[in-house]
Coordinates of all heavy atoms in Angstrom, one line a residue:
M1 N -20.5 -61.3 -7.3 CA -21.5 -61.8 -8.2 C -20.9 -62.4 -9.4 O -19.9 -61.9 -10.0 CB -22.4 -60.6 -8.7 CG -23.5 -60.2 -7.7 SD -24.7 -59.1 -8.4 CE -23.8 -57.6 -8.4
P2 N -21.5 -63.5 -9.9 CA -20.9 -64.2 -11.0 C -21.0 -63.4 -12.3 O -22.0 -62.6 -12.5 CB -21.8 -65.5 -11.2 CG -22.5 -65.6 -9.8 CD -22.6 -64.3 -9.2
N3 N -20.1 -63.5 -13.2 CA -20.1 -62.8 -14.4 C -20.6 -63.7 -15.5 O -20.2 -64.9 -15.6 CB -18.6 -62.3 -14.8 CG -18.6 -61.4 -16.0 OD1 -18.6 -61.9 -17.1 ND2 -18.7 -60.1 -15.8
V4 N -21.4 -63.1 -16.4 CA -22.0 -63.9 -17.5 C -21.8 -63.1 -18.8 O -21.9 -61.9 -18.8 CB -23.5 -64.1 -17.3 CG1 -24.1 -64.9 -18.5 CG2 -23.8 -64.9 -16.0
T5 N -21.4 -63.8 -19.9 CA -21.2 -63.2 -21.1 C -22.1 -63.8 -22.2 O -22.1 -65.0 -22.3 CB -19.7 -63.3 -21.6 OG1 -18.9 -62.6 -20.6 CG2 -19.5 -62.7 -23.0
W6 N -22.8 -63.0 -22.9 CA -23.6 -63.4 -24.1 C -22.9 -62.9 -25.4 O -22.7 -61.7 -25.5 CB -25.0 -62.9 -24.0 CG -25.9 -63.4 -22.9 CD1 -26.8 -64.4 -23.0 CD2 -26.0 -62.9 -21.6 NE1 -27.4 -64.6 -21.8 CE2 -26.9 -63.7 -20.9 CE3 -25.3 -61.9 -20.9 CZ2 -27.3 -63.5 -19.6 CZ3 -25.6 -61.7 -19.5 CH2 -26.6 -62.5 -18.9
K7 N -22.6 -63.8 -26.3 CA -22.1 -63.4 -27.6 C -23.2 -63.6 -28.6 O -23.7 -64.7 -28.8 CB -20.9 -64.2 -28.0 CG -19.7 -63.9 -27.0 CD -18.5 -64.6 -27.5 CE -17.3 -64.2 -26.6 NZ -16.0 -64.8 -27.0
C8 N -23.7 -62.5 -29.2 CA -24.9 -62.5 -30.0 C -24.6 -62.6 -31.5 O -23.5 -62.2 -31.9 CB -25.7 -61.3 -29.8 SG -26.1 -61.0 -28.0
F9 N -25.6 -63.1 -32.2 CA -25.4 -63.4 -33.7 C -25.1 -62.1 -34.4 O -24.5 -62.1 -35.5 CB -26.6 -64.0 -34.2 CG -27.9 -63.2 -34.1 CD1 -28.2 -62.3 -35.1 CD2 -28.7 -63.3 -33.0 CE1 -29.4 -61.5 -35.0 CE2 -29.8 -62.5 -32.9 CZ -30.2 -61.6 -33.9
D10 N -25.5 -60.9 -33.9 CA -25.3 -59.7 -34.6 C -23.9 -59.1 -34.3 O -23.6 -58.0 -34.7 CB -26.4 -58.7 -34.3 CG -26.4 -58.3 -32.8 OD1 -25.6 -58.9 -32.0 OD2 -27.2 -57.4 -32.4
G11 N -23.1 -59.8 -33.6 CA -21.7 -59.4 -33.3 C -21.6 -58.6 -32.0 O -20.5 -58.3 -31.6
T12 N -22.7 -58.4 -31.3 CA -22.6 -57.7 -30.0 C -22.3 -58.7 -28.9 O -22.6 -59.9 -29.0 CB -23.9 -57.0 -29.7 OG1 -25.0 -57.9 -29.6 CG2 -24.2 -55.9 -30.7
T13 N -21.6 -58.2 -27.9 CA -21.3 -59.0 -26.7 C -21.8 -58.2 -25.5 O -21.6 -57.0 -25.4 CB -19.8 -59.2 -26.6 OG1 -19.3 -60.0 -27.7 CG2 -19.4 -60.0 -25.4
V14 N -22.5 -58.9 -24.6 CA -22.9 -58.3 -23.4 C -22.3 -59.1 -22.3 O -22.4 -60.4 -22.2 CB -24.5 -58.4 -23.3 CG1 -24.9 -57.8 -21.9 CG2 -25.1 -57.6 -24.4
S15 N -21.6 -58.4 -21.4 CA -21.0 -59.1 -20.2 C -21.4 -58.3 -19.0 O -21.3 -57.1 -19.0 CB -19.5 -59.1 -20.4 OG -18.9 -59.9 -19.5
A16 N -21.9 -59.0 -18.0 CA -22.3 -58.4 -16.8 C -22.3 -59.3 -15.6 O -22.2 -60.5 -15.7 CB -23.8 -57.9 -17.0
E17 N -22.2 -58.7 -14.4 CA -22.3 -59.4 -13.2 C -23.8 -59.6 -12.9 O -24.6 -58.7 -13.0 CB -21.6 -58.7 -12.0 CG -20.1 -58.6 -12.3 CD -19.4 -58.1 -11.1 OE1 -20.0 -57.5 -10.2 OE2 -18.2 -58.4 -11.0
V18 N -24.2 -60.8 -12.5 CA -25.6 -61.2 -12.3 C -25.8 -61.8 -10.9 O -24.9 -62.6 -10.5 CB -26.0 -62.2 -13.4 CG1 -27.4 -62.7 -13.2 CG2 -25.8 -61.6 -14.8
D19 N -26.9 -61.5 -10.3 CA -27.2 -62.0 -9.0 C -27.4 -63.5 -9.1 O -28.0 -64.0 -10.0 CB -28.5 -61.4 -8.4 CG -28.3 -60.0 -8.0 OD1 -27.2 -59.6 -7.6 OD2 -29.3 -59.2 -8.1
S20 N -26.8 -64.2 -8.1 CA -27.0 -65.7 -8.0 C -28.5 -65.9 -7.8 O -29.2 -65.2 -7.2 CB -26.2 -66.3 -6.9 OG -24.9 -66.2 -7.1
G21 N -29.0 -67.0 -8.4 CA -30.4 -67.4 -8.3 C -31.3 -66.9 -9.4 O -32.4 -67.5 -9.6
V22 N -30.8 -65.9 -10.1 CA -31.6 -65.4 -11.3 C -31.3 -66.4 -12.5 O -30.2 -66.9 -12.6 CB -31.1 -64.0 -11.7 CG1 -31.7 -63.5 -13.0 CG2 -31.4 -63.0 -10.5
S23 N -32.4 -66.6 -13.3 CA -32.1 -67.5 -14.4 C -31.4 -66.7 -15.5 O -31.4 -65.4 -15.6 CB -33.4 -68.0 -15.0 OG -34.1 -67.0 -15.8
L24 N -30.7 -67.4 -16.3 CA -29.9 -66.8 -17.4 C -30.8 -66.1 -18.4 O -30.5 -65.1 -19.0 CB -29.0 -67.8 -18.1 CG -27.9 -68.3 -17.3 CD1 -27.2 -69.5 -18.1 CD2 -26.8 -67.2 -17.1
M25 N -32.1 -66.6 -18.5 CA -33.1 -65.9 -19.4 C -33.4 -64.5 -18.8 O -33.5 -63.5 -19.5 CB -34.3 -66.8 -19.6 CG -35.4 -66.1 -20.4 SD -36.5 -65.1 -19.4 CE -37.5 -66.4 -18.5
E26 N -33.8 -64.5 -17.5 CA -34.2 -63.3 -16.8 C -33.0 -62.3 -16.9 O -33.3 -61.1 -17.1 CB -34.5 -63.5 -15.4 CG -35.8 -64.4 -15.2 CD -35.9 -64.8 -13.7 OE1 -35.0 -65.4 -13.2 OE2 -37.0 -64.6 -13.2
A27 N -31.8 -62.7 -16.7 CA -30.7 -61.8 -16.7 C -30.5 -61.2 -18.1 O -30.3 -60.0 -18.3 CB -29.4 -62.6 -16.3
A28 N -30.7 -62.1 -19.2 CA -30.6 -61.6 -20.5 C -31.6 -60.6 -20.9 O -31.4 -59.5 -21.5 CB -30.7 -62.8 -21.5
L29 N -32.9 -60.8 -20.4 CA -33.9 -59.8 -20.7 C -33.6 -58.5 -20.0 O -33.8 -57.4 -20.5 CB -35.3 -60.3 -20.2 CG -35.9 -61.5 -21.0 CD1 -37.3 -61.8 -20.5 CD2 -35.8 -61.3 -22.5
N30 N -33.1 -58.6 -18.7 CA -32.8 -57.3 -18.0 C -31.7 -56.5 -18.7 O -31.7 -55.3 -18.5 CB -32.4 -57.7 -16.6 CG -33.5 -58.2 -15.7 OD1 -34.7 -57.9 -16.0 ND2 -33.2 -58.9 -14.7
L31 N -30.9 -57.2 -19.4 CA -29.7 -56.6 -20.0 C -30.0 -56.3 -21.5 O -29.1 -55.9 -22.2 CB -28.5 -57.5 -19.9 CG -28.0 -57.6 -18.4 CD1 -27.1 -58.8 -18.3 CD2 -27.2 -56.3 -18.0
N32 N -31.2 -56.6 -22.0 CA -31.5 -56.4 -23.4 C -30.6 -57.2 -24.4 O -30.2 -56.6 -25.4 CB -31.6 -54.9 -23.8 CG -32.7 -54.2 -23.0 OD1 -33.8 -54.6 -23.0 ND2 -32.3 -53.0 -22.4
V33 N -30.3 -58.4 -24.0 CA -29.5 -59.2 -24.9 C -30.2 -59.6 -26.2 O -31.3 -60.1 -26.1 CB -29.0 -60.5 -24.2 CG1 -28.3 -61.4 -25.1 CG2 -28.2 -60.2 -22.9
T34 N -29.6 -59.2 -27.3 CA -30.3 -59.5 -28.6 C -30.5 -61.0 -28.8 O -29.6 -61.8 -28.7 CB -29.4 -58.9 -29.7 OG1 -29.2 -57.6 -29.5 CG2 -30.0 -59.2 -31.1
G35 N -31.7 -61.3 -29.2 CA -32.0 -62.7 -29.5 C -32.5 -63.6 -28.4 O -32.9 -64.8 -28.7
V36 N -32.6 -63.1 -27.2 CA -33.2 -63.9 -26.1 C -34.6 -63.2 -25.8 O -34.6 -62.0 -25.5 CB -32.3 -63.9 -24.8 CG1 -33.0 -64.6 -23.7 CG2 -31.0 -64.6 -25.1
F37 N -35.7 -64.0 -25.9 CA -37.0 -63.4 -25.7 C -37.7 -63.8 -24.5 O -38.4 -63.1 -23.8 CB -37.8 -63.6 -27.0 CG -37.2 -63.1 -28.2 CD1 -36.5 -63.9 -29.1 CD2 -37.2 -61.7 -28.5 CE1 -35.9 -63.4 -30.2 CE2 -36.6 -61.2 -29.6 CZ -35.9 -62.0 -30.5
G38 N -37.7 -65.1 -24.2 CA -38.3 -65.6 -23.0 C -39.8 -65.4 -23.0 O -40.4 -65.0 -22.0
D39 N -40.5 -65.7 -24.1 CA -41.9 -65.4 -24.3 C -42.8 -66.1 -23.3 O -43.8 -65.5 -22.9 CB -42.3 -65.9 -25.7 CG -41.8 -65.0 -26.8 OD1 -41.3 -63.9 -26.5 OD2 -41.9 -65.4 -28.0
C40 N -42.4 -67.2 -22.8 CA -43.3 -67.9 -21.8 C -43.0 -67.6 -20.4 O -43.6 -68.1 -19.4 CB -43.3 -69.4 -22.0 SG -41.8 -70.2 -21.4
G41 N -42.0 -66.7 -20.2 CA -41.7 -66.3 -18.8 C -40.9 -67.4 -18.0 O -40.9 -67.3 -16.8
G42 N -40.4 -68.4 -18.7 CA -39.7 -69.4 -18.0 C -40.5 -70.7 -17.7 O -40.1 -71.5 -16.9
A43 N -41.7 -70.8 -18.3 CA -42.6 -71.9 -18.1 C -42.2 -73.1 -18.9 O -43.0 -74.1 -18.9 CB -44.0 -71.5 -18.4
L44 N -41.1 -73.1 -19.6 CA -40.7 -74.2 -20.4 C -41.7 -74.6 -21.6 O -41.9 -75.7 -21.8 CB -40.4 -75.4 -19.5 CG -39.4 -76.4 -20.0 CD1 -38.1 -75.8 -20.5 CD2 -39.1 -77.5 -18.9
S45 N -42.2 -73.5 -22.2 CA -43.1 -73.8 -23.3 C -42.9 -73.0 -24.6 O -43.8 -73.0 -25.4 CB -44.6 -73.6 -22.8 OG -44.8 -72.3 -22.4
C46 N -41.8 -72.3 -24.7 CA -41.6 -71.5 -25.9 C -40.3 -71.7 -26.6 O -40.2 -71.5 -27.8 CB -41.8 -70.0 -25.6 SG -40.4 -69.3 -24.6
A47 N -39.3 -72.0 -25.9 CA -37.9 -72.2 -26.5 C -37.3 -70.9 -27.1 O -36.3 -71.0 -27.8 CB -37.9 -73.3 -27.5
T48 N -37.9 -69.7 -26.8 CA -37.3 -68.5 -27.3 C -36.2 -68.0 -26.4 O -35.7 -66.9 -26.6 CB -38.4 -67.4 -27.4 OG1 -38.9 -67.1 -26.1 CG2 -39.5 -67.9 -28.4
C49 N -35.8 -68.7 -25.4 CA -34.7 -68.4 -24.6 C -33.5 -69.2 -24.9 O -32.5 -69.3 -24.1 CB -35.1 -68.5 -23.1 SG -35.5 -70.3 -22.7
H50 N -33.5 -69.8 -26.1 CA -32.4 -70.7 -26.5 C -31.1 -70.0 -26.5 O -30.9 -68.9 -27.0 CB -32.7 -71.3 -27.9 CG -31.7 -72.1 -28.5 ND1 -31.0 -71.7 -29.7 CD2 -31.0 -73.2 -28.1 CE1 -30.1 -72.6 -30.0 NE2 -30.1 -73.5 -29.0
V51 N -30.1 -70.7 -26.0 CA -28.7 -70.3 -26.1 C -27.8 -71.5 -26.3 O -28.3 -72.6 -26.1 CB -28.2 -69.6 -24.8 CG1 -28.9 -68.3 -24.5 CG2 -28.3 -70.5 -23.6
V52 N -26.6 -71.3 -26.8 CA -25.7 -72.4 -27.0 C -24.6 -72.1 -26.0 O -23.9 -71.0 -26.0 CB -25.1 -72.4 -28.4 CG1 -24.0 -73.4 -28.5 CG2 -26.3 -72.7 -29.4
V53 N -24.4 -73.0 -25.0 CA -23.3 -72.9 -24.0 C -22.0 -73.1 -24.7 O -21.8 -74.0 -25.4 CB -23.6 -73.9 -22.9 CG1 -22.4 -73.8 -21.9 CG2 -24.9 -73.6 -22.2
D54 N -21.1 -72.2 -24.4 CA -19.7 -72.3 -25.0 C -19.2 -73.7 -24.6 O -19.4 -74.1 -23.4 CB -18.8 -71.2 -24.4 CG -17.5 -71.2 -25.2 OD1 -17.5 -70.4 -26.2 OD2 -16.6 -71.9 -24.8
E55 N -18.5 -74.3 -25.5 CA -18.1 -75.7 -25.3 C -17.2 -75.8 -24.1 O -17.1 -76.9 -23.4 CB -17.5 -76.3 -26.5 CG -16.2 -75.6 -27.0 CD -15.7 -76.2 -28.3 OE1 -16.1 -77.4 -28.6 OE2 -14.9 -75.6 -29.0
T56 N -16.5 -74.8 -23.7 CA -15.6 -74.8 -22.5 C -16.4 -74.9 -21.2 O -15.8 -75.2 -20.2 CB -14.6 -73.6 -22.5 OG1 -15.4 -72.4 -22.4 CG2 -13.7 -73.6 -23.7
W57 N -17.7 -74.6 -21.3 CA -18.6 -74.5 -20.1 C -19.6 -75.7 -20.1 O -20.3 -75.9 -19.1 CB -19.3 -73.2 -20.0 CG -18.4 -72.2 -19.4 CD1 -17.5 -71.3 -20.1 CD2 -18.2 -71.9 -18.1 NE1 -16.8 -70.5 -19.2 CE2 -17.2 -70.9 -18.0 CE3 -18.7 -72.4 -16.9 CZ2 -16.8 -70.4 -16.7 CZ3 -18.3 -71.9 -15.7 CH2 -17.4 -70.9 -15.6
H58 N -19.7 -76.3 -21.2 CA -20.9 -77.3 -21.3 C -20.9 -78.3 -20.2 O -22.0 -78.7 -19.7 CB -20.8 -78.0 -22.7 CG -22.0 -78.8 -23.0 ND1 -23.2 -78.3 -23.1 CD2 -22.1 -80.2 -23.1 CE1 -24.1 -79.3 -23.3 NE2 -23.5 -80.4 -23.4
D59 N -19.8 -78.8 -19.8 CA -19.8 -79.9 -18.8 C -20.0 -79.3 -17.4 O -20.1 -80.1 -16.4 CB -18.4 -80.6 -18.8 CG -18.3 -81.5 -20.1 OD1 -19.4 -81.8 -20.7 OD2 -17.2 -81.8 -20.4
R60 N -20.0 -78.0 -17.2 CA -20.1 -77.4 -15.9 C -21.5 -76.9 -15.6 O -21.7 -76.5 -14.4 CB -19.1 -76.3 -15.7 CG -17.7 -76.9 -15.7 CD -16.6 -75.8 -15.4 NE -16.1 -75.3 -16.7 CZ -15.2 -74.3 -16.7 NH1 -14.8 -73.7 -15.6 NH2 -14.7 -73.9 -17.9
V61 N -22.4 -76.9 -16.5 CA -23.8 -76.5 -16.2 C -24.6 -77.7 -15.9 O -24.3 -78.8 -16.4 CB -24.4 -75.7 -17.4 CG1 -23.7 -74.4 -17.7 CG2 -24.5 -76.6 -18.7
P62 N -25.6 -77.6 -15.0 CA -26.4 -78.7 -14.7 C -27.1 -79.3 -15.9 O -27.4 -78.6 -16.9 CB -27.5 -78.1 -13.7 CG -26.9 -76.8 -13.2 CD -26.0 -76.3 -14.3
R63 N -27.3 -80.6 -15.9 CA -27.8 -81.3 -17.1 C -29.3 -80.9 -17.3 O -30.0 -80.6 -16.3 CB -27.8 -82.8 -16.9 CG -26.4 -83.4 -16.7 CD -25.6 -83.4 -17.9 NE -24.8 -82.2 -18.0 CZ -24.4 -81.5 -19.1 NH1 -24.7 -82.0 -20.2 NH2 -23.8 -80.4 -19.0
P64 N -29.8 -80.9 -18.5 CA -31.2 -80.5 -18.8 C -32.1 -81.7 -18.3 O -31.7 -82.8 -18.3 CB -31.2 -80.4 -20.3 CG -30.1 -81.2 -20.8 CD -29.0 -81.1 -19.8
T65 N -33.3 -81.3 -17.9 CA -34.3 -82.3 -17.6 C -34.9 -82.9 -18.9 O -34.6 -82.3 -20.0 CB -35.5 -81.6 -16.8 OG1 -36.1 -80.6 -17.7 CG2 -35.0 -81.0 -15.5
D66 N -35.6 -83.9 -18.8 CA -36.2 -84.5 -20.0 C -37.2 -83.5 -20.7 O -37.2 -83.5 -21.9 CB -37.0 -85.8 -19.6 CG -36.1 -86.9 -19.2 OD1 -34.9 -86.9 -19.4 OD2 -36.6 -87.9 -18.6
M67 N -37.9 -82.8 -19.8 CA -38.8 -81.8 -20.4 C -38.0 -80.7 -21.2 O -38.5 -80.3 -22.3 CB -39.5 -81.1 -19.2 CG -40.6 -80.3 -19.6 SD -42.2 -81.2 -19.6 CE -43.2 -79.7 -19.4
E68 N -36.9 -80.3 -20.7 CA -36.1 -79.3 -21.4 C -35.6 -79.9 -22.7 O -35.6 -79.2 -23.7 CB -35.0 -78.7 -20.5 CG -34.1 -77.7 -21.3 CD -32.9 -77.2 -20.6 OE1 -32.8 -77.4 -19.3 OE2 -32.1 -76.6 -21.2
T69 N -35.1 -81.1 -22.6 CA -34.6 -81.8 -23.8 C -35.7 -81.9 -24.9 O -35.4 -81.6 -26.1 CB -34.1 -83.2 -23.4 OG1 -33.1 -83.0 -22.5 CG2 -33.6 -83.9 -24.7
E70 N -36.9 -82.2 -24.5 CA -38.0 -82.2 -25.5 C -38.3 -80.8 -26.1 O -38.5 -80.7 -27.3 CB -39.3 -82.7 -24.8 CG -39.3 -84.2 -24.6 CD -40.6 -84.7 -23.9 OE1 -41.6 -84.0 -24.0 OE2 -40.5 -85.7 -23.1
M71 N -38.3 -79.8 -25.2 CA -38.5 -78.5 -25.7 C -37.4 -78.0 -26.7 O -37.6 -77.2 -27.6 CB -38.6 -77.5 -24.6 CG -40.0 -77.5 -23.9 SD -41.3 -77.1 -25.1 CE -40.9 -75.5 -25.6
L72 N -36.2 -78.5 -26.4 CA -35.1 -78.0 -27.3 C -35.3 -78.5 -28.7 O -34.8 -77.9 -29.7 CB -33.8 -78.6 -26.8 CG -33.2 -77.9 -25.6 CD1 -32.1 -78.7 -24.9 CD2 -32.6 -76.5 -26.0
D73 N -36.1 -79.5 -28.9 CA -36.4 -79.9 -30.3 C -37.2 -78.9 -31.0 O -37.4 -78.9 -32.3 CB -37.2 -81.2 -30.3 CG -36.3 -82.4 -29.9 OD1 -35.0 -82.3 -30.1 OD2 -36.8 -83.4 -29.4
M74 N -37.8 -77.9 -30.3 CA -38.6 -76.9 -30.9 C -37.8 -75.6 -31.3 O -38.4 -74.6 -31.7 CB -39.8 -76.5 -30.0 CG -40.7 -77.7 -29.8 SD -42.1 -77.2 -28.7 CE -43.0 -76.1 -29.7
V75 N -36.6 -75.6 -31.0 CA -35.8 -74.4 -31.3 C -35.8 -74.1 -32.7 O -35.5 -75.0 -33.6 CB -34.3 -74.7 -30.8 CG1 -33.4 -73.6 -31.3 CG2 -34.3 -74.7 -29.3
Q76 N -36.1 -72.9 -33.0 CA -36.2 -72.4 -34.4 C -34.7 -72.5 -35.0 O -33.8 -72.0 -34.4 CB -36.7 -71.0 -34.5 CG -37.3 -70.6 -35.8 CD -38.1 -69.3 -35.7 OE1 -37.8 -68.5 -34.8 NE2 -39.0 -69.1 -36.6
G77 N -34.6 -73.1 -36.1 CA -33.3 -73.2 -36.8 C -32.5 -74.4 -36.3 O -31.4 -74.6 -36.8
G78 N -33.1 -75.2 -35.4 CA -32.4 -76.4 -35.0 C -31.6 -76.2 -33.8 O -31.2 -75.1 -33.4
R79 N -31.3 -77.3 -33.1 CA -30.5 -77.2 -31.9 C -29.1 -77.9 -32.1 O -28.9 -78.6 -33.1 CB -31.2 -78.0 -30.8 CG -31.4 -79.5 -31.2 CD -32.1 -80.2 -30.1 NE -31.3 -80.5 -29.0 CZ -31.7 -81.3 -28.0 NH1 -32.9 -81.9 -28.0 NH2 -30.9 -81.6 -27.0
S80 N -28.2 -77.6 -31.2 CA -26.9 -78.3 -31.3 C -26.7 -79.1 -30.0 O -27.6 -79.0 -29.1 CB -25.8 -77.2 -31.4 OG -25.4 -76.7 -30.2
S81 N -25.7 -79.8 -29.9 CA -25.5 -80.6 -28.7 C -25.1 -79.7 -27.5 O -25.2 -80.2 -26.4 CB -24.3 -81.6 -29.0 OG -23.1 -80.9 -29.3
L82 N -24.9 -78.5 -27.8 CA -24.6 -77.5 -26.7 C -25.7 -76.6 -26.4 O -25.6 -75.7 -25.6 CB -23.3 -76.7 -27.1 CG -22.1 -77.5 -27.4 CD1 -21.0 -76.6 -28.0 CD2 -21.6 -78.2 -26.2
S83 N -26.9 -76.9 -27.0 CA -28.0 -76.0 -26.8 C -28.6 -76.2 -25.4 O -28.7 -77.3 -24.9 CB -29.1 -76.4 -27.8 OG -28.8 -75.9 -29.1
R84 N -29.1 -75.1 -24.9 CA -29.9 -75.1 -23.6 C -31.0 -74.0 -23.7 O -30.9 -73.1 -24.5 CB -28.9 -74.8 -22.5 CG -27.9 -75.8 -22.2 CD -28.5 -77.2 -21.8 NE -29.4 -77.1 -20.7 CZ -29.0 -77.3 -19.4 NH1 -27.7 -77.6 -19.2 NH2 -29.9 -77.3 -18.4
L85 N -32.0 -74.2 -22.8 CA -33.0 -73.2 -22.6 C -32.5 -72.4 -21.4 O -32.4 -72.9 -20.3 CB -34.3 -73.8 -22.5 CG -34.8 -74.6 -23.7 CD1 -36.2 -75.2 -23.4 CD2 -34.9 -73.7 -24.9
S86 N -32.2 -71.1 -21.6 CA -31.6 -70.3 -20.6 C -32.5 -70.0 -19.4 O -32.0 -69.7 -18.3 CB -31.0 -69.0 -21.1 OG -32.0 -68.2 -21.7
C87 N -33.8 -70.3 -19.5 CA -34.7 -70.1 -18.4 C -34.5 -71.2 -17.4 O -35.0 -71.1 -16.2 CB -36.1 -70.0 -18.8 SG -36.8 -71.5 -19.5
Q88 N -33.9 -72.3 -17.8 CA -33.7 -73.4 -16.9 C -32.4 -73.5 -16.2 O -32.1 -74.5 -15.5 CB -33.9 -74.7 -17.7 CG -35.3 -74.8 -18.4 CD -36.4 -74.7 -17.4 OE1 -36.5 -75.6 -16.5 NE2 -37.3 -73.7 -17.5
I89 N -31.6 -72.5 -16.4 CA -30.2 -72.5 -15.7 C -30.2 -71.3 -14.8 O -30.4 -70.1 -15.3 CB -29.1 -72.4 -16.8 CG1 -29.2 -73.6 -17.7 CG2 -27.7 -72.4 -16.1 CD1 -28.2 -73.5 -18.9
R90 N -29.9 -71.5 -13.6 CA -29.9 -70.4 -12.6 C -28.4 -70.1 -12.4 O -27.5 -70.9 -12.3 CB -30.5 -70.8 -11.3 CG -32.0 -71.1 -11.4 CD -32.8 -70.5 -10.3 NE -34.3 -70.6 -10.8 CZ -35.0 -69.5 -11.2 NH1 -34.4 -68.3 -11.3 NH2 -36.2 -69.7 -11.6
V91 N -28.1 -68.8 -12.3 CA -26.8 -68.3 -12.1 C -26.3 -68.7 -10.7 O -27.1 -68.6 -9.7 CB -26.8 -66.8 -12.2 CG1 -25.4 -66.2 -11.9 CG2 -27.2 -66.3 -13.6
S92 N -25.1 -69.1 -10.6 CA -24.5 -69.5 -9.3 C -23.0 -69.2 -9.4 O -22.4 -69.0 -10.5 CB -24.7 -71.0 -9.0 OG -24.0 -71.8 -10.0
D93 N -22.4 -69.3 -8.2 CA -20.9 -69.0 -8.2 C -20.1 -69.9 -9.1 O -19.1 -69.6 -9.7 CB -20.4 -69.1 -6.8 CG -20.9 -67.9 -5.9 OD1 -21.3 -66.9 -6.5 OD2 -20.8 -68.1 -4.7
E94 N -20.7 -71.2 -9.2 CA -20.0 -72.2 -10.0 C -20.0 -71.8 -11.5 O -19.2 -72.3 -12.3 CB -20.7 -73.5 -9.9 CG -20.5 -74.2 -8.5 CD -21.3 -73.5 -7.4 OE1 -22.3 -72.9 -7.7 OE2 -20.7 -73.6 -6.3
L95 N -20.9 -70.9 -11.9 CA -21.0 -70.5 -13.3 C -20.3 -69.2 -13.6 O -20.5 -68.6 -14.7 CB -22.5 -70.4 -13.7 CG -23.2 -71.8 -13.7 CD1 -24.6 -71.6 -14.2 CD2 -22.5 -72.9 -14.5
D96 N -19.6 -68.7 -12.6 CA -18.8 -67.4 -12.8 C -17.9 -67.5 -14.0 O -17.0 -68.3 -14.1 CB -18.0 -67.1 -11.5 CG -17.3 -65.7 -11.6 OD1 -17.8 -64.8 -12.4 OD2 -16.3 -65.6 -11.0
G97 N -18.2 -66.6 -15.0 CA -17.3 -66.6 -16.2 C -18.0 -67.3 -17.4 O -17.4 -67.3 -18.5
I98 N -19.2 -67.8 -17.2 CA -19.8 -68.6 -18.3 C -20.0 -67.7 -19.5 O -20.2 -66.5 -19.4 CB -21.1 -69.2 -17.8 CG1 -21.6 -70.2 -18.8 CG2 -22.2 -68.1 -17.6 CD1 -22.8 -71.1 -18.3
V99 N -19.9 -68.4 -20.7 CA -20.0 -67.7 -22.0 C -21.2 -68.4 -22.7 O -21.1 -69.7 -22.8 CB -18.7 -67.7 -22.8 CG1 -19.0 -67.1 -24.2 CG2 -17.6 -67.0 -22.1
L100 N -22.1 -67.7 -23.2 CA -23.2 -68.2 -24.0 C -23.3 -67.6 -25.4 O -23.0 -66.4 -25.5 CB -24.5 -67.8 -23.2 CG -24.6 -68.2 -21.8 CD1 -25.8 -67.5 -21.1 CD2 -24.7 -69.8 -21.6
H101 N -23.7 -68.3 -26.3 CA -23.8 -67.8 -27.7 C -25.3 -67.8 -28.0 O -26.0 -68.7 -27.7 CB -23.1 -68.8 -28.7 CG -21.6 -68.9 -28.4 ND1 -20.7 -68.0 -28.8 CD2 -21.0 -69.8 -27.6 CE1 -19.5 -68.4 -28.4 NE2 -19.6 -69.5 -27.6
V102 N -25.7 -66.7 -28.6 CA -27.1 -66.5 -28.9 C -27.3 -66.4 -30.4 O -26.6 -65.7 -31.1 CB -27.7 -65.2 -28.3 CG1 -29.2 -65.1 -28.6 CG2 -27.4 -65.1 -26.8
G103 N -28.2 -67.3 -30.9 CA -28.5 -67.3 -32.3 C -27.5 -68.0 -33.2 O -27.4 -67.7 -34.4
S104 N -26.7 -68.9 -32.6 CA -25.7 -69.6 -33.4 C -26.0 -71.1 -33.3 O -26.8 -71.5 -32.6 CB -24.3 -69.3 -32.8 OG -24.2 -69.6 -31.5
Ligands
LIG201 S1 -38.6 -68.7 -21.5 FE1 -39.9 -70.1 -22.6 S2 -38.8 -72.0 -22.6 FE2 -37.5 -70.6 -21.6

């Protein structure tokens, strides 16, 4: 199973093996990752699943859709060029080892 690491704004780090096909938002909720809420359940209407993909991984995740890009403008505190909505990224073998920053 692919390994995913979340580095949270409060200094905590969560690292776990996650089933392929699960969204990064769902995985974060299952693991109680601080700062990921997923209020809309992945319907692309809340932006509370915002993460910043580590720059070493940014080119390896699938590109955001236009809809996701629009929603990223609603991220509280602003977005960065590495921002993504984690409900829109599904875990796959290609993402084994990915690092995400939460609240940064
Ligand atoms: S969970 Fe609402 S936009 Fe991702």
Side-chain angles (χ1 to χ4, degrees):
M1 280 191 282
N3 187 275
V4 180
T5 297
W6 291 263
K7 294 187 175 184
C8 305
F9 62 90
D10 63 357
T12 59
T13 296
V14 176
S15 189
E17 295 191 338
V18 177
D19 287 330
S20 291
V22 171
S23 78
L24 289 171
M25 177 275 285
E26 293 169 307
L29 293 187
N30 289 338
L31 293 161
N32 295 314
V33 173
T34 303
V36 177
F37 301 102
D39 289 347
C40 75
L44 204 51
S45 61
C46 72
T48 63
C49 61
H50 172 241
V51 296
V52 174
V53 176
D54 192 89
E55 61 184 343
T56 60
W57 279 91
H58 187 63
D59 291 339
R60 289 185 266 177
V61 296
R63 301 290 90 210
T65 62
D66 290 346
M67 192 90 160
E68 181 184 345
T69 300
E70 284 178 28
M71 280 303 297
L72 280 166
D73 290 335
M74 297 180 66
V75 168
Q76 205 168 23
R79 62 183 284 188
S80 84
S81 60
L82 303 173
S83 287
R84 293 298 303 269
L85 296 179
S86 60
C87 68
Q88 299 302 300
I89 302 173
R90 299 223 167 256
V91 175
S92 65
D93 289 341
E94 290 71 30
L95 297 183
D96 183 28
I98 192 170
V99 177
L100 307 165
H101 302 274
V102 183
S104 54

